[in-house]
Each structure stands twice: as structure tokens, then as C-alpha cells.
Amino acid sequence: MERFLWAVEFLVGVGVIVSSLEFLRARAHYRSGGLLSWEVLRYRLALTARPVPGELTERMFSDTGLTAIVAARIAGAAILLAPAVWLGEPWRIAGLGLALLATLLLYLRSPYGLDGADQMMLIVLVGAFVSHLASPDGWLREAAVWFIATQATLAYLAAGIAKLVSAQWRSGQAIPAILSTRAYGNPLAHKMTRDRRWLAFAVAWSVIGFEVLFPLVILVPHESARVAFLGFGVLFHLTNAVVMGLNTFVWAFAATYPAIAWCGGEF
Amino acid sequence: MPAAVLEVFAGAPLAAWLALSLLNQVAGGRWRWFARLTASGFIPNWRFFAPRPGTSDFHVLYRDLLISGEMTQWVEAPAAEARPAVAALWNPGKRPNKALFDLCTVLFETGRGLDHTRLMLSTPYLAILNRVNSMPASSLAACRQFVLMATYPDRPQSEAEPLFVSGFHEL
């Protein structure tokens, strides 16, 4: 299980570093006058709206404070990139704890702007952190890995079922419509799928099929089939990254794959 | 305290989190208390782009009421950054883009159920107003108003749809 856990932590570590650097690049939006200014967002929560904790958070979430939080997140994640033989258990607990604490503070700062990749990275960090707190031969270590794998499987299945019940998805119309948007679109992919309805239909059903069938990855008895399925998953996220700009999903969801592979082997 | 008991304490939150995640997929938005819980962002909603995919672009426009009583033209507040060519590796603009999407969605959805005063005190309203008010203004401007618009790029014939119009706010 150790090498599977190391792979989980390595991949989420890369994802956390990329998303943190992106956060730093976009921090003007968190400053005074920005869309996510703390002067306004602190009133989202009753706790931070009060004067005393509010003033404390003013300092914590100032430009300097926020930069320090993100830097701590990067430092914690960087520890996870080192081979396990270089930095042992205490280091990994410290790295995961630091990255996790900083991530929780960013959630407190603003849930607006967070996406599914952020949520999956939080899940992986928590699962990996708990697995290290557990005794090596205890049930909790295995449960933590199952937690990561089950959340990932639920993510694909829920996404697949939601698409399956949608007429827009079943007809393929959803594909060019999504690809036309500024946030997730791509002019070339939009034109290709708008002008070729069969292509939009094929893409839509490929996505639905992959997501709905994803739970089979744990149930299939053959390791080669599992590896092929997960390989298709990586390809799926890489395509989404290139076409839709969903780059951090690659790292966040690929980080769950070693956990899924381990659970599939144990099932 | 025995290690086994500590493990139960550490494992129980994971089980609860997983159960709430499952509940959010099958019954998300059904209860007000649960909606408040999911607003924190900790309980994931995994129904990416479904069942109703986001097919619109949101735009925030503003105009000023001048001291003379005249009204300026609508101006669009700058959208988040354009996606870089290397977005598959590096895409810092997606977070502010998603933030604008989240704020507009919440404002549009809560706007239907709240009276105007409560709506003006809601976080999404104040966040967008704060952004709009930070844009430069003429010294002759007295008040500012904003509007949220949706456009549907895949339907070129369709007109821009106003989703929400704010009141006037002193500058």
C-alpha cells in the first residue's frame, strides 16, 4: 500500500503546487476593490463578521497574509514530491498537515471560485493525512484509502448519471453549447462539434459511458483492464485540460487513481 | 485512550463526509439547512456540467447617474483574464472566471426569493457592487447601477438576457 499512497501524495502535491501558483497569479482579485475582496466576503460568515475575529482575519487575509498562506501550502506540497525514502513519515505528516491547513484557510477565505479539482484535492489531502495518523496495520489506514477511491468513483458516477438524465447531453447538443462559452469553450472544438452533429453525439456518449461505467474499475478482476480504464481516465482529463482549460483536474483526479488501483486489487 | 478509539474518532468524520457527499448528489438543494452546509464548498457537488450545462457567458455592466441627471452609457466591467495558450498546464484566469460565475448564479437564484433590502445585503450583491464601484468614475457621477447579463454564444440569433438589475448606489 505504501507505494500507492506515495503516488497519491506525489500527484496531489503537484496539483496543489500548480493551483497555489495560479492563486498567487490571480491574487489581485482578492485585494481591496477586487471581486473577492475580504472587506466584503468576511460578512459571509457570522464568525468573521464580528469585530474581534474579523479584525484578526483582516490581518490573516491581507495581501501579505494570503501570500504567506499560499506559500505555506506550496512548501507543504513540495515535501510530498520527495521520495518516501528521503523524507520519512514525520515529514510526510508535516507536509500533508501544512498543505491541508492552508487549503482549509483558502476555503474559509472564499468558496467562490473553487472548482471540483479544489474539492478533490482537499479530499485527497484529508484521506492521505488520516492514513498517516493511523497505525500501519490498522483498519483506518485502509479506510482512508477507500475514502479517496470511493469519493472519486462517486464523482464520476454522479456526473455520468446527471448527464444521462439530461436531454441536452443525450442529444449531444450540450457539447457545442459548452464549448462556445468564454470560460470553458474552445473556438476550434466548438466549430467542429457544431458543424458535425455526429461528432458532438459521439463525444457526449463517450463521456456519459466513461463516467457511468467508472465504478467497474474497482470491480474488474483483471489488473490490465483496470490500468487500461484508468489510462483512459488520464486521457479524458488531459483532453479536458487542452480543450476546456481544466488543467488542475488532471492532477486532482489522477491523484485518486493509485488509491483506486489499490482498492481494485484488494476487492 | 486506546489507539482503536482514536481511530474511530479519526474515521468517523471521513464516513460522515462521504455520506453527506452522497446525499448532495441525490438530494442536493432539497433542504435549506443542507444548502447552507453545501455553500461552504466542503460538500462536493459532482454533477459537472449537468443535467443543465452552463451554456451562457455572464457579463457585468454598469452605468452612472450624473449630477446633471443624465445617464451614461452602459460599460462592461472587464472580464477575467483570457485563457493562455498553455492553459492545459497553466490557467490562472479560471479561478476569477469561476468566482464571477458562482456569484452571478447565487445572486440570480437568491434574487428571486429575497426582498430587495435583504438582497442588497447579500454577499454576492455586495461583492459585485464592490467590484463595479472600484472602476473609474467621472467627477460628475453621483450614483452607479449595475446589471448582470447572460449571452448565449452558441445561439448567435438570441439577444443578451438581463438577469438582474441593481438599484442606484452613491459613489
Side-chain angles (χ1 to χ4, degrees):
Chain A
M1 185 201 281
E2 296 312 308
R3 63 194 172 94
F4 287 94
L5 260 178
W6 182 81
V8 165
E9 291 163 18
F10 178 88
L11 291 166
V12 80
V14 176
V16 167
I17 289 172
V18 172
S19 84
S20 301
L21 292 172
E22 287 181 345
F23 194 95
L24 286 178
R25 175 70 178 74
R27 72 181 185 281
H29 298 276
Y30 293 80
R31 289 185 184 135
S32 180
L35 190 62
L36 300 170
S37 160
W38 185 243
E39 290 161 6
V40 172
L41 289 201
R42 65 174 273 201
Y43 294 100
R44 186 178 60 83
L45 299 170
L47 181 71
T48 52
R50 288 185 193 143
V52 176
E55 279 168 25
L56 180 74
T57 57
E58 287 281 356
R59 251 173 280 166
M60 189 165 71
F61 292 139
S62 67
D63 199 33
T64 314
L66 200 57
T67 305
I69 291 169
V70 179
R73 192 173 183 240
I74 293 171
I79 292 173
L80 305 178
L81 305 190
V85 289
W86 291 5
L87 298 176
E89 195 82 354
W91 278 100
R92 303 199 79 76
I93 292 174
L96 284 164
L98 196 57
L100 180 56
L101 181 64
T103 302
L104 291 173
L105 288 174
L106 293 182
Y107 263 76
L108 177 65
R109 176 64 181 77
S110 169
Y112 303 114
L114 299 177
D115 62 16
D118 293 304
Q119 288 178 318
M120 189 54 86
M121 282 193 262
L122 176 65
I123 283 165
V124 172
L125 287 173
V126 170
F129 185 66
V130 170
S131 79
H132 282 284
L133 294 183
S135 57
D137 50 354
W139 62 271
L140 183 59
R141 202 173 182 89
E142 291 190 5
V145 178
W146 273 101
F147 169 74
I148 295 170
T150 310
Q151 281 280 14
T153 308
L154 175 65
Y156 287 110
L157 182 63
I161 291 174
K163 291 178 179 75
L164 192 60
V165 299
S166 160
Q168 265 180 295
W169 271 94
R170 288 197 307 273
S171 67
Q173 287 171 353
I175 300 294
I178 293 168
L179 293 175
S180 70
T181 62
R182 190 172 54 192
Y184 301 110
N186 180 298
L188 179 64
H190 172 236
K191 188 175 183 312
M192 285 173 68
T193 51
R194 185 196 60 198
D195 297 345
R196 299 169 184 81
R197 291 184 64 182
W198 61 267
L199 181 61
F201 184 83
V203 170
W205 276 98
S206 301
V207 174
I208 293 171
F210 168 68
E211 290 183 339
V212 168
L213 296 176
F214 193 86
L216 290 178
V217 74
I218 290 183
L219 304 177
V220 288
H222 304 292
E223 193 181 346
S224 53
R226 198 155 43 241
V227 169
F229 211 109
L230 293 176
F232 188 82
V234 172
L235 194 64
F236 170 69
H237 287 294
L238 283 174
T239 308
N240 290 343
V242 171
V243 176
M244 303 174 76
L246 296 170
N247 58 328
T248 43
F249 279 75
V250 178
W251 302 105
F253 279 77
T256 68
Y257 287 6
I260 292 168
W262 181 83
C263 292
E266 290 292 302
F267 194 71
Chain B
M1 194 180 283
V5 177
L6 282 174
E7 292 203 333
V8 169
F9 271 108
L14 293 189
W17 195 2
L18 188 58
L20 289 171
S21 302
L22 181 62
L23 189 62
N24 197 25
Q25 313 313 311
V26 295
R30 191 166 293 178
W31 309 287
R32 191 175 288 179
W33 66 270
F34 195 62
R36 251 184 260 140
L37 194 65
T38 56
S40 65
F42 289 112
I43 313 296
N45 172 2
W46 297 126
R47 298 184 293 266
F48 300 117
F49 299 99
R52 280 180 300 151
T55 59
S56 59
D57 286 332
F58 288 120
H59 307 265
V60 180
L61 293 90
Y62 62 92
R63 65 177 177 178
D64 292 340
L65 176 64
L66 304 179
I67 300 166
S68 63
E70 283 177 276
M71 204 78 80
T72 63
Q73 294 287 311
W74 288 105
V75 178
E76 183 169 0
E81 300 147 59
R83 203 189 305 163
V86 291
L89 299 170
W90 174 252
N91 188 11
K94 70 175 183 293
R95 202 179 290 279
N97 266 329
K98 175 70 166 41
L100 180 64
F101 175 85
D102 290 344
L103 290 166
C104 289
T105 305
V106 175
L107 183 58
F108 178 57
E109 284 175 2
T110 55
R112 289 181 292 197
L114 287 181
D115 65 71
H116 202 64
T117 310
R118 285 191 65 188
L119 185 65
M120 284 198 297
L121 293 173
S122 70
T123 309
Y125 187 99
L126 292 171
I128 295 171
L129 179 65
N130 183 49
R131 172 76 185 116
V132 163
N133 277 358
S134 73
M135 304 306 295
S138 150
S139 57
L140 301 174
C143 302
R144 184 162 281 180
Q145 180 186 36
F146 71 87
V147 60
L148 297 185
M149 303 285 285
T151 55
Y152 300 88
D154 197 42
R155 287 184 261 155
Q157 307 306 321
S158 67
E159 289 186 0
E161 180 187 357
L163 299 177
F164 178 85
V165 184
S166 82
F168 281 94
H169 296 272
E170 271 185 44
L171 285 166

